[in-house]
Amino acid sequence: MFDHKSEHIDEHMALLQANIDDMNPEYTSYVMDRLFEAGANDVYWIPIIMKRGRPGMMLNVLVAEERIPDMEAIIFAETTTLGLRYLKAAVHRLGREFAKVETSWGPVTVKLGYHQGQLVQMAPEFKECEAIAKRHGVPLKQVYEEVRRGFADKGDHDGGSQP
């Protein structure tokens, strides 16, 4: 039986933001990888228009408060920003579970999300689906569709509803 008690709210989080208008955009994936490797929970870039109409990017890093110094060190070393904004954040995390779904190409892992004990999310693992699509020469969306059908057909999911 799935224990939905693993659903929780992390209250000691921070969202770090930096607006950057003078950095080579090719650096963004490198910076993102470094931040994830150092413990960031989420990293994303948003295209923005800055003062005097200059195009720029906003870096957003969601991280546990105790990891802020690690993030600062990477951001100041690897980007051209001269400052960071800090916003206090709380994150509501659904209870999670992993399951295997059989397909005609073999098993695929799916991530299940539970809210108050009810199944509300199901997502096939992208990298596994991508590997199947490449290996068998089938469209990625076809792999996803078969995983979803296989999950629905399995039908023995704890928590009641299906996403």
Side-chain angles (χ1 to χ4, degrees):
M1 183 73 153
F2 176 74
D3 176 14
H4 70 275
K5 292 179 184 169
S6 62
E7 179 177 5
H8 64 281
I9 296 177
D10 289 332
E11 295 183 16
H12 300 285
M13 303 291 290
L15 180 63
L16 283 57
Q17 294 182 325
N19 291 352
I20 302 170
D21 67 348
D22 56 353
M23 185 179 87
N24 182 337
E26 291 177 337
Y27 299 168
T28 57
S29 63
Y30 176 78
V31 171
M32 181 179 279
D33 290 346
R34 293 268 334 265
L35 292 164
F36 276 125
E37 289 165 6
N41 293 75
D42 198 8
V43 179
Y44 57 97
W45 295 88
I46 300 172
I48 58 175
I49 301 299
M50 297 179 59
K51 63 184 169 190
R52 292 187 284 284
R54 291 190 308 248
M57 300 173 289
M58 179 192 294
L59 171 62
N60 293 269
V61 181
L62 181 66
V63 65
E65 288 176 348
E66 64 269 12
R67 293 189 177 245
I68 290 173
D70 300 329
M71 301 299 117
E72 288 174 334
I74 293 168
I75 293 167
F76 288 133
E78 299 289 355
T79 75
T80 57
T81 193
L82 296 174
L84 287 171
R85 280 184 299 282
Y86 302 87
L87 297 112
K88 203 160 193 44
V91 178
H92 186 152
R93 298 182 192 280
L94 295 181
R96 296 176 189 187
E97 181 178 54
F98 294 89
K100 289 287 187 182
V101 173
E102 286 299 324
T103 71
S104 57
W105 307 288
V108 174
T109 305
V110 294
K111 186 186 307 182
L112 307 174
Y114 293 84
H115 176 62
Q116 298 179 349
Q118 297 295 309
L119 179 63
V120 295
Q121 301 292 332
M122 187 284 296
E125 285 295 316
F126 172 77
K127 286 293 185 186
E128 291 179 26
C129 292
E130 178 184 49
I132 287 171
K134 288 179 178 179
R135 185 170 43 252
H136 296 280
V138 296
L140 180 62
K141 67 180 181 178
Q142 183 179 339
V143 177
Y144 266 73
E145 288 166 6
E146 184 165 330
V147 172
R148 290 189 184 282
R149 273 194 311 273
F151 181 78
D153 291 347
K154 189 175 172 187
D156 61 350
H157 319 292
D158 293 333
S161 65
Q162 291 185 28

